Amino acid sequence: MTESSDDPVKNGLSGMLPRLWRFAMVLSHNEDTAADLVQATCVRALQRSRQFQPGTHLDRWCFSIMASVWKNELRAQRIRRGGGFVDAEDVLVTDGAAKIESNILLSQVLAGVQALPEAQRSAVLLVYVEGLTYSEAAVTLDVPIGTIMSRLAAARSKLAALKLSGDEGNRRRVKAAE
Amino acid sequence: MTRDRIHTPVTDELLVAYLDGELSSDERQTLESALARDEELRARLKTFQDGEQPWEEAFEGMLQQAPLEKLEADLAAAIAEGPEAVPDLASTPRSPVPRSPLPGSPLPGSPAPGPLAPGPLAPGMAAKDPGRGWRPAAVAACVAFSLLAGFGAGYGLNEAQDRQTAAAVTETEAEVWRQAVADYQALYTRETLSTALSDPLVQTAGLQRVSKSLGLALPFSVAEVGGLDYKRAQILKFGDKPLAQLAYLYEDEIPIAFCIVRLDEADRSAKSEVRSGLNIVHWVKKGYSLMLVGDLPLEDLNRFARELEGRVIWKAG
């Protein structure tokens, strides 16, 4: 296949697929939905490739497209179900803990983040994992910067509590094994 | 203005922003002098420091978990089809989201902590989508699973195994695939399809992807059959052959699947049968074996089958 090297979107998408999929999994908690979300994001990014400004971050641009697709989707689901949006929380907590990491702490962190409400875990992913600044994350998720701050503070409080109980759990386990 | 954020009481947000290096130098100095004076504040800061985690490392493994082959194939399909093939929705990423017209719906974008909070992990939930990777060899296991799950499957395990060993002689591959599809379909509930995305862009992209794998065209009209609420399209495998599954919901209750695989059977008109307690209408056109399966009266299934066939665009061959 010949690729036109002058289209930064077309050329750049392929290398970003794992990170796009990871964000999609954090948003949706469902492998099928995540693949659809990545696909929809790619299609829309290609459609709008002329709007992309070369020299700016393609990843942030794609993240914001994905966040927008997902937000519209969430709205539709809430309307359809009369407000009772049910989150499929199973996928990453099971797969994440069992398959991904042997390291206990890392899988605890992953499970802890995945157990947060969606708004908090998307802020955590963008700022702490993808390294966006608060203001970049605010633009990406289309929310005020204060909202990013409160989501991160809430996420950190919960994970600190989790870490404490996790540490105690580990100590108990070690003791029992002796 | 920035100094205002430091005025007492110091919020959690500010402490976290301090740890994240997001404060201006003025704000930082003000907060640090407050910290020097205030033991309680230092304790609160410590709590958030304890919330510091090896974030990047923890999420590193997910990158390797991405189904790269599939994602790359999807991307290649999207590039090959050209972006014009999918209608762009009018909204841009930054456009304001219109308010929900329904009373009682939460505002878009506002966090909904209640319903989004995770429930306890139910072990059975791992079977949320059993439709991946159908293979003839897996049929027996599927039947066993469907019995285990308490569905009234039409065939017992032994019978299914016998059927398989005899398949080479007495059974066509076509029966095996219809049985496999029926077994899986019997596991579907309306909840199985509840995570499907309703955005037409997503749906069109899904249909496009499936069309490409099959070598025929499934236009968006297959998602617009009156009486069937289209959910999603996915590509599964039957042996080494791509098997398309288009999932629908009838009356918001009954899952219906329209499945297509290329087995190169001789063309024939529609027949009906019952497998795993579900009605099936199946036929062959241009080498493609098709079936519509679901817990619906045959006359309804037949009607939908005719409509769907009329909407598929058959390519030469």
Side-chain angles (χ1 to χ4, degrees):
Chain A
M1 192 194 305
T2 53
E3 290 190 3
S4 57
S5 58
D6 56 341
D7 185 340
V9 175
K10 201 185 279 186
N11 295 333
L13 278 175
S14 173
M16 295 192 346
L17 289 174
R19 287 167 66 215
L20 288 176
W21 184 82
R22 178 168 69 179
F23 187 35
M25 279 298 277
V26 166
L27 290 172
S28 71
H29 274 191
N30 178 286
E31 289 184 29
D32 294 327
T33 310
D36 283 348
L37 199 48
V38 172
Q39 169 79 346
T41 302
C42 289
V43 170
R44 198 163 290 176
L46 290 166
Q47 284 170 340
R48 300 196 179 144
S49 56
R50 287 204 192 109
Q51 294 171 21
F52 176 72
Q53 296 173 342
T56 61
H57 292 286
L58 181 62
D59 53 356
R60 285 139 173 79
W61 189 69
C62 288
F63 286 149
S64 73
I65 290 177
M66 181 175 287
S68 151
V69 171
W70 179 247
K71 192 194 268 187
N72 291 335
E73 186 53 43
L74 263 186
R75 191 183 75 242
Q77 295 216 12
R78 280 181 185 148
I79 291 169
R80 257 205 321 276
R81 299 181 200 172
F85 181 67
V86 182
D87 211 350
E89 297 285 349
D90 56 319
V91 177
L92 260 188
V93 181
T94 47
D95 287 10
K99 275 203 304 224
I100 303 179
E101 299 294 349
S102 50
N103 183 311
I104 292 174
L105 171 64
L106 294 186
S107 41
Q108 272 176 353
V109 172
L110 194 60
V113 173
Q114 293 297 348
L116 296 171
E118 182 219 315
Q120 290 173 23
R121 54 182 199 258
S122 56
V124 163
L125 182 93
L126 292 178
V127 174
Y128 294 145
V129 181
E130 291 289 355
L132 273 63
T133 63
Y134 283 11
S135 64
E136 285 172 333
V139 168
T140 299
L141 295 176
D142 200 18
V143 296
I145 197 165
T147 304
I148 296 291
M149 292 171 76
S150 57
R151 288 178 186 179
L152 292 175
R156 279 220 197 204
S157 300
K158 278 183 210 162
L159 286 169
L162 192 94
K163 201 172 179 181
L164 278 179
S165 61
D167 286 351
E168 281 162 20
N170 284 341
R171 272 199 295 278
R172 273 200 299 275
R173 263 203 297 283
V174 170
K175 233 176 202 166
E178 278 167 359
Chain B
M1 182 65 192
T2 52
R3 274 182 178 274
D4 288 346
R5 297 207 294 185
I6 298 296
H7 283 170
T8 50
V10 176
T11 60
D12 290 352
E13 283 80 358
L14 267 175
L15 291 171
V16 170
Y18 171 68
L19 292 172
D20 288 342
E22 286 271 350
L23 294 187
S24 69
S25 58
D26 277 358
E27 287 174 321
R28 199 172 59 241
Q29 277 172 16
T30 313
L31 181 60
E32 279 171 355
S33 55
L35 280 167
R37 296 190 301 269
D38 186 340
E39 193 179 337
E40 196 186 330
L41 196 57
R42 285 198 296 277
R44 282 175 59 206
L45 184 70
K46 171 84 167 53
T47 310
F48 286 111
Q49 274 171 326
D50 288 343
E52 180 64 62
Q53 309 282 357
W55 313 100
E56 271 181 76
E57 274 179 279
F59 278 83
E60 183 72 32
M62 274 180 75
L63 295 176
Q64 274 86 55
Q65 237 201 351
L68 202 52
E69 209 173 296
K70 172 179 161 47
L71 298 177
E72 274 173 351
D74 290 351
L75 175 61
I79 290 176
E81 289 283 332
E84 293 74 21
V86 179
D88 192 359
L89 303 182
S91 65
T92 67
R94 294 283 174 282
S95 70
V97 178
R99 280 167 187 258
S100 151
L102 296 182
S105 297
L107 276 184
S110 63
L116 281 170
L121 191 59
M125 287 178 76
K128 48 99 198 171
D129 187 356
R132 298 262 147 190
W134 287 338
R135 286 171 195 86
V139 170
C142 305
V143 174
F145 184 39
S146 65
L147 290 173
L148 200 70
F151 288 92
Y155 298 89
L157 180 59
N158 290 335
E159 193 180 345
Q161 278 171 336
D162 289 344
R163 290 164 59 82
Q164 260 203 297
T165 42
V169 190
T170 63
E171 281 195 345
T172 64
E173 203 180 6
E175 282 186 81
V176 177
W177 93 273
R178 293 202 303 274
Q179 184 62 43
V181 169
D183 286 335
Y184 271 110
Q185 187 63 24
L187 300 179
Y188 271 63
T189 68
R190 67 182 296 282
E191 283 75 24
T192 317
L193 299 171
S194 66
T195 57
L197 302 179
S198 64
D199 185 335
L201 177 88
V202 177
Q203 296 183 335
T204 311
L207 287 168
Q208 205 177 77
R209 189 172 72 211
V210 167
S211 299
K212 191 165 174 66
S213 299
L214 279 181
L216 46 70
L218 298 168
F220 193 68
S221 62
V222 301
E224 298 175 314
V225 174
L228 289 181
D229 182 13
Y230 174 78
K231 290 299 179 183
R232 69 164 174 241
Q234 37 184 9
I235 279 291
L236 310 156
K237 284 257 184 238
F238 180 70
D240 56 354
K241 300 184 174 76
L243 162 56
Q245 180 215 43
L246 274 56
Y248 301 83
L249 213 50
Y250 178 76
E251 292 189 341
D252 201 31
E253 182 70 42
I254 303 168
I256 307 287
F258 178 40
C259 294
I260 311 174
V261 64
R262 181 160 196 143
L263 298 179
D264 292 317
E265 287 183 272
D267 286 12
R268 58 172 172 74
S269 56
K271 294 181 192 168
S272 60
E273 64 185 359
V274 179
R275 288 179 188 269
S276 298
L278 298 174
N279 274 330
I280 295 174
V281 174
H282 58 99
W283 70 106
V284 183
K285 180 155 180 177
K286 293 190 186 290
Y288 288 98
S289 304
L290 302 101
M291 68 185 274
L292 194 65
V293 54
D295 189 12
L296 269 196
L298 267 179
E299 58 185 297
D300 293 323
L301 271 189
N302 267 313
R303 179 164 52 87
F304 290 135
R306 273 196 302 276
E307 280 215 46
L308 283 166
E309 182 189 313
R311 296 179 187 210
V312 176
I313 298 170
W314 307 92
K315 296 185 175 172

